[in-house]
Every structure is written in C-alpha cells, then in structure tokens.
Amino acid sequence: MERRVAERLGGALGPLGLETHAFKVGWYNAVLQPAFHLPYPDDTLAFVVLSTPSMFDKALKPFVKKERLKIIRDPVDQCVSYHLSRVKEKFPGQRVDVMFDYELLPSRKPKFLAQTAAHVAGAAYYYQRKDVKHDPWGKKKIYGVCIHPKYGGWFAIRGLLLFPDIQELFLEQPAPVDCVSTEEKRIELLEQFNFHWQDGRYRDIIEVKERYSEEQRAYFATPPAERFRLLGLTQ
C-alpha cells in the first residue's frame, strides 16, 4: 500500500518540485517526548513533504500568476497549502490529514517538529549538538539543522501528509544519508547555521546538485512585507 500511495503522491507533487518521503508515526514518536507526539497509532502511514530548489519556478510562480487577483498573505505558504490540499482529490473516500510547518497548537507548540520528521523518514540528516563528540560551545544554545544529500541546505520542510486509514506493519525505516560525516565538518555546519545563518554558507556544507536560483535567493533574502513586489503583486 505504501508504494501505491508514494507513486500517486510522486505523480502529483514531483512535477511541482516537491519531494515526499514515507515514515510510520511510531518512528517519529519514539524519538520525542510525549508532548510532541503525533496523535495516531504507531503504524499509521505518513509522508514528510520537502520543497526542492525547482519548486520556486515549477509551483510558486505559476500559482502566483493564477491567483494574482485574490488576496495572498504568504505566497509560499498558500502555494504549498493549495497543492497539498489538492492531493486529497487523488485519494477519494480515504482520509488524508495535512499538517503544515507553520501551524501551531493552542499551546503555541508546533504541530510537528519538521526536522525530526525529515530525519526519521530518511529524507535529510538532522545534525545536532549531540552529533559532535568534542563540544566547543560551552553553555551556548546550539540549534540543529537538516542537510539533504542532494540539495545540502537548499531545501525546506513544508508539511506532513497522514493517512489514518492505512496501517503499515512492515515498512522498513531507511537511515538518512550521513553526508556531513566528519567531526570538523559538523562543527563547521553548526557554527555557520547558528552564528552566520544569514549568509547561507551552511547550505553549501556539501557539494550540492542544485541550489536556489538568484531570483529565489533574492526573494527569500527580502523582508516578507517587501516580497510581494518581487512577484509582481501588490500587498
């Protein structure tokens, strides 16, 4: 069943520059405190959705052109929401729950921890402080970051698709590719991400196959309120 669902998702989202990676809810819940658990049985089939560099041209710009006369609050969020919600049409009669990376619970906690989901699904390796044996940071707060084996840091985790009616007993968990394998490189990655994230150098910690275009970099480097004009929109 997982393979059929994955093929259908790939056919719908792949041409838009969106990747989907399967996981079982139990894999995710097993590595988190109960407060962050997803409220589904352990064998529930789920997919984490990533946007790749091509999403900007393949999905966002056509979406903005089509929706130009409507009110757009955040173009990327609304574009992803539109396409993931349309996925439900591919599964008539089946429940599909969608969670987005920007959604919060009433407690103000995120609905899901995006980087953990990407890691347990084998989509991207979540490098954290615990992955460094000789910690150089003392009492400083150090945040972790996911690195994709093909795109490095040039991607984003956009949402989850959950299939509560599908229980996958025998799905095997893939290990994420450990593409930043040396201690020295991991320290460099976490240093760049935590203290120099604005310059984006952490994204190129490995040799990447594709990165954001100049137009896309300019878009994300622009304050949100000013991004509309870059897409030919009025606020």
Side-chain angles (χ1 to χ4, degrees):
M1 178 62 84
E2 177 272 333
R3 186 171 297 175
R4 289 205 301 272
V5 174
E7 287 173 356
R8 209 174 293 180
L9 290 176
L13 299 176
L16 300 168
L18 296 170
E19 275 187 5
T20 54
H21 297 263
F23 69 97
K24 295 205 296 186
V25 165
W27 304 347
Y28 174 92
N29 287 348
V31 297
L32 293 171
Q33 298 172 349
F36 292 103
H37 284 185
L38 294 171
Y40 300 85
D42 282 352
D43 290 321
T44 303
L45 180 63
F47 289 80
V48 63
V49 182
L50 313 180
S51 62
T52 72
S54 66
M55 187 275 283
F56 192 81
D57 285 323
K58 290 180 177 178
L60 180 64
K61 287 163 74 174
F63 172 79
V64 167
K65 188 175 181 180
K66 182 181 175 187
E67 302 293 313
R68 193 175 297 277
L69 298 178
K70 298 180 183 177
I71 296 173
I72 294 184
R73 296 177 298 279
D74 181 286
V76 173
D77 287 350
Q78 282 186 251
C79 172
V80 172
S81 173
Y82 170 78
H83 287 296
L84 294 195
S85 297
R86 286 199 67 189
V87 161
K88 295 182 181 184
E89 299 169 11
K90 304 290 183 183
F91 301 92
Q94 197 162 63
R95 182 178 159 196
V96 184
D97 292 349
V98 185
M99 294 183 186
F100 299 103
D101 65 300
Y102 53 82
E103 289 186 296
L104 300 175
L105 296 166
S107 64
R108 306 303 295 168
K109 287 189 177 78
K111 276 197 172 182
F112 73 99
L113 300 184
Q115 300 199 106
T116 299
H119 186 94
V120 301
Y125 200 108
Y126 184 22
Y127 291 97
Q128 301 176 72
R129 188 174 194 158
K130 66 182 182 182
D131 295 309
V132 173
K133 292 176 184 174
H134 303 290
D135 189 323
W137 298 296
K139 294 183 179 180
K140 291 180 182 175
K141 176 74 174 175
I142 299 295
Y143 294 95
V145 59
C146 272
I147 295 296
H148 190 287
K150 183 177 179 181
Y151 304 116
W154 301 100
F155 78 104
I157 305 158
R158 298 296 180 185
L160 297 184
L161 295 167
L162 298 116
F163 294 80
D165 300 333
I166 302 177
Q167 300 296 301
E168 278 287 345
L169 302 179
F170 304 110
L171 189 63
E172 291 189 15
Q173 184 171 6
V177 178
D178 182 4
C179 48
V180 188
S181 55
T182 69
E183 176 94 346
E184 182 182 20
K185 275 291 184 185
R186 290 179 180 184
I187 290 172
E188 182 185 344
L189 169 65
L190 293 174
E191 287 270 348
Q192 288 180 0
F193 180 69
N194 279 272
F195 307 121
H196 309 285
W197 63 268
Q198 295 97 330
D199 62 27
R201 281 182 297 153
Y202 78 91
R203 299 179 188 271
D204 286 312
I205 194 69
I206 63 169
E207 189 173 332
V208 299
K209 301 285 194 297
E210 189 180 352
R211 55 174 60 87
Y212 291 173
S213 64
E214 288 298 325
E215 181 185 17
Q216 190 171 178
R217 285 190 227 185
Y219 177 83
F220 287 116
T222 301
E226 298 171 26
R227 290 175 181 173
F228 291 86
R229 61 180 175 78
L230 296 182
L231 295 173
L233 296 170
T234 52
Q235 203 166 337

